[in-house]
């Protein structure tokens, strides 16, 4: 693949506001004992049961690196293996390899750290956005302050069924439930309060029927209030409709999706975040039905879709592959991480489609991965996904 296309990297977006910075792609946990970034007393997040330490240290942060660029150093606990970095260099030549430093090196000076969440273990003044601000803006209960159409929030004593139950700050698809009656609600609350000992707020939202799709819209917010549009993905969800397992891009429809929410959602979301002092990447999700549109989530942070959205225009321009999907938390049984990379490379050498392994590590059985697949049609994307898994 050539490298003539001018690309946007995470580092370039960060540099729009911060001339010097580090990017920390790891996330905090409130349940993962032994993890360096444990939020036990403050900024608690519902990630019960917790992910494995390998997920927190390897799989989750690595996926942010292929489009990170070299403008802003990355600080993290572990470096990706050379065979994974070589895979990125080979198939994404326009994206310079990231500069990776140790956590201790990045946390000992006065250079700010761009994070994906507020961290209890990092001094407040070291985080690029004050953690108190970031925490408030990431809460589900703050959605109503934006002043756009949202699902109705209910009090526990006046819940109508079915409804969605959400811990106020969640992670990785945990902390969200669809409950259909009083019995299911009681069982859900026992799980949240009793088993997981969640003492923070719980949000009860009305259930919106007739969902057509749930796009995620992403932009970068400058300190001045200027907006740089990144793109739109369409979520693929589990049967419950509450956990995203993939996100797809149709590059032919990007302008259509941007226009769909610009006045009603994008501008109010931008103004709300700017008023509260936030700057950086933002993702917000809108539930679209036949009878209306509703804001259901806002994530002021670099998201799991960011890398895919930065790769998509480059691959669409270079190879004409305008349909793509990022597949999350894949399990490849009886296949090592190196073998997965080998299979992706073999596919890419044909020149008809591109599989980019964003992150991978060897697990107890086989390996796990995040990967982006780019092809000429949605059907071909799905075919390639099933092919590499078999």
């Amino acid at each position: 693949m050539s490298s003539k296309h001018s690309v946007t990297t995470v580092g370039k977006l960060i540099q729009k506001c911060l001339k010097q910075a580090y990017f920390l792609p790891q996330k905090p946990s409130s349940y993962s004992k032994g993890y360096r970034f444990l939020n036990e007393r403050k900024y608690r997040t519902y990630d019960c049961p917790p992910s494995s330490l390998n997920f927190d240290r390897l799989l989750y942060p690595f996926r942010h690196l292929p489009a990170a660029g070299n403008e802003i150093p990355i600080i993290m606990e572990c470096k990706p293996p050379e065979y994974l970095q070589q895979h990125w260099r080979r198939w994404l030549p326009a994206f310079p390899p990231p500069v990776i430093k140790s956590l201790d090196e990045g946390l000992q000076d006065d250079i700010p750290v761009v994070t994906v969440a507020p961290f209890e273990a990092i001094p407040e003044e070291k985080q690029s956005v004050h953690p108190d601000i970031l925490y408030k803006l990431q809460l589900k209960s703050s959605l109503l302050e934006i002043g756009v159409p949202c699902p109705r929030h209910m009090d526990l004593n006046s819940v109508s069924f079915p409804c969605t139950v959400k811990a106020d700050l969640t992670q990785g698809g945990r902390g969200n439930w669809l409950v259909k009656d009083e019995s299911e609600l009681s069982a859900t609350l026992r799980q949240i309060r009793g088993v997981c000992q969640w003492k923070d707020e719980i949000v009860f939202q009305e259930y919106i029927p007739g969902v057509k799709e749930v796009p995620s819209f992403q932009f970068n917010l400058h300190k001045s209030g200027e907006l740089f549009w990144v793109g739109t993905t369409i979520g693929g969800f589990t049967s419950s409709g509450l956990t995203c397992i993939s996100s797809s891009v149709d590059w032919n429809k990007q302008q259509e999706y941007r226009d769909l929410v610009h006045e009603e959602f994008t501008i109010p979301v931008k103004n709300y975040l700017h008023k509260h002092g936030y700057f950086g990447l933002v993702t917000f999700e809108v539930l679209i039905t036949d009878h209306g549109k509703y804001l259901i989530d806002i994530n002021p942070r670099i998201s799991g879709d960011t890398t895919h959205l930065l790769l998509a225009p480059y691959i669409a321009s270079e190879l004409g592959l305008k349909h793509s999907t990022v597949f999350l938390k894949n399990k490849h049984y009886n296949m090592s991480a190196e073998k997965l990379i080998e299979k992706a490379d073999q596919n890419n050498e044909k020149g008809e489609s591109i599989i980019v392994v964003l992150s991978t590590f060897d697990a107890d059985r086989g390996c796990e991965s995040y990967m982006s697949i780019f092809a000429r049609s949605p059907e071909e994307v799905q075919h390639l996904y099933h092919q590499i898994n078999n």
Side-chain angles (χ1 to χ4, degrees), residues 24 26-28 37 39 43 115-123 127 131:
L24 172 60
Q26 292 181 227
K27 60 181 177 60
F37 294 120
N39 283 1
Y43 315 128
T115 65
V116 299
F119 282 79
E120 184 181 296
I122 300 176
Q127 300 178 57

Side-chain angles (χ1 to χ4, degrees), residues 11-266:
K12 286 181 180 178
L13 294 176
I14 292 174
Q15 278 193 330
K16 290 179 180 290
C17 295
L18 300 169
K19 290 185 177 180
Q20 276 192 305
Y22 298 114
F23 170 39
L24 172 60
Q26 292 181 227
K27 60 181 177 60
S29 169
S30 291
Y31 292 89
S32 185
K33 303 301 180 184
Y35 182 46
R36 177 164 180 168
F37 294 120
L38 196 62
N39 283 1
E40 284 187 295
R41 299 178 305 277
K42 202 174 184 182
Y43 315 128
R44 284 175 52 80
T45 182
Y46 192 98
D47 62 325
C48 180
S51 305
S52 69
L53 289 177
N54 277 337
F55 178 88
D56 291 336
R57 292 169 172 160
L58 307 175
L59 194 66
Y60 180 90
F62 288 176
R63 66 178 178 163
H64 294 288
L65 301 185
N70 60 3
E71 298 86 0
I72 298 295
I74 311 296
I75 57 172
M76 55 197 305
E77 286 187 278
C78 307
K79 289 187 176 181
E82 177 56 33
Y83 60 80
L84 183 55
Q85 295 188 62
Q86 175 59 35
H87 172 74
W88 299 336
R89 288 194 295 268
R90 183 176 181 185
W91 303 112
L92 304 170
F95 290 86
V99 176
I100 303 174
K101 298 186 176 184
S102 71
L103 284 172
D104 291 334
E105 184 178 2
L107 296 177
Q108 67 183 1
D109 55 33
D110 295 328
I111 297 174
V113 177
V114 176
T115 65
V116 299
F119 282 79
E120 184 181 296
I122 300 176
E124 294 177 353
E125 64 275 8
K126 181 71 173 174
Q127 300 178 57
S128 62
V129 174
H130 194 285
D132 287 354
I133 294 174
L134 191 54
Y135 181 70
K136 171 183 169 52
L137 296 176
Q138 290 186 350
L139 293 175
K140 309 289 186 194
S141 56
S142 294
L143 278 180
L144 295 181
E145 297 179 6
I146 301 172
V148 299
C150 295
R152 179 171 53 91
H153 285 206
M154 298 175 284
D155 184 84
L156 176 59
N157 297 319
S158 59
V159 168
S160 59
F161 299 102
C163 74
T164 55
V165 178
K166 300 180 179 181
D168 211 3
L169 188 61
T170 64
Q171 206 169 88
R174 285 153 292 190
N176 298 305
W177 295 265
L178 174 63
V179 299
K180 299 175 183 176
D181 52 40
E182 193 69 46
S183 175
E184 287 189 5
L185 176 60
S186 297
T188 299
L189 293 178
R190 283 196 298 272
Q191 173 69 24
I192 301 171
R193 298 296 194 199
V195 176
C196 292
Q197 296 294 300
W198 178 255
K199 297 179 174 62
D200 298 272
E201 189 167 343
I202 299 172
V203 173
F204 304 92
Q205 290 180 338
E206 69 170 321
Y207 171 74
I208 305 293
V211 177
K212 295 171 63 178
E213 59 184 6
V214 186
S216 290
F217 305 92
Q218 194 162 158
F219 62 87
N220 193 66
L221 177 58
H222 194 275
K223 281 184 175 181
S224 67
E226 295 177 85
L227 180 154
F228 173 84
W229 190 257
V230 177
T232 303
T233 60
I234 305 298
F237 292 83
T238 56
S239 56
S240 69
L242 297 176
T243 301
C244 185
I245 55 176
S246 65
S247 295
S248 299
V249 171
D250 181 345
W251 206 251
N252 295 317
K253 294 184 177 180
Q254 288 296 299
Q255 188 62 46
E256 176 185 333
Y257 279 115
R258 179 178 180 175
D259 294 342
L260 182 68
V261 295
H262 181 74
E263 295 296 333
E264 188 176 5
F265 293 97
T266 305

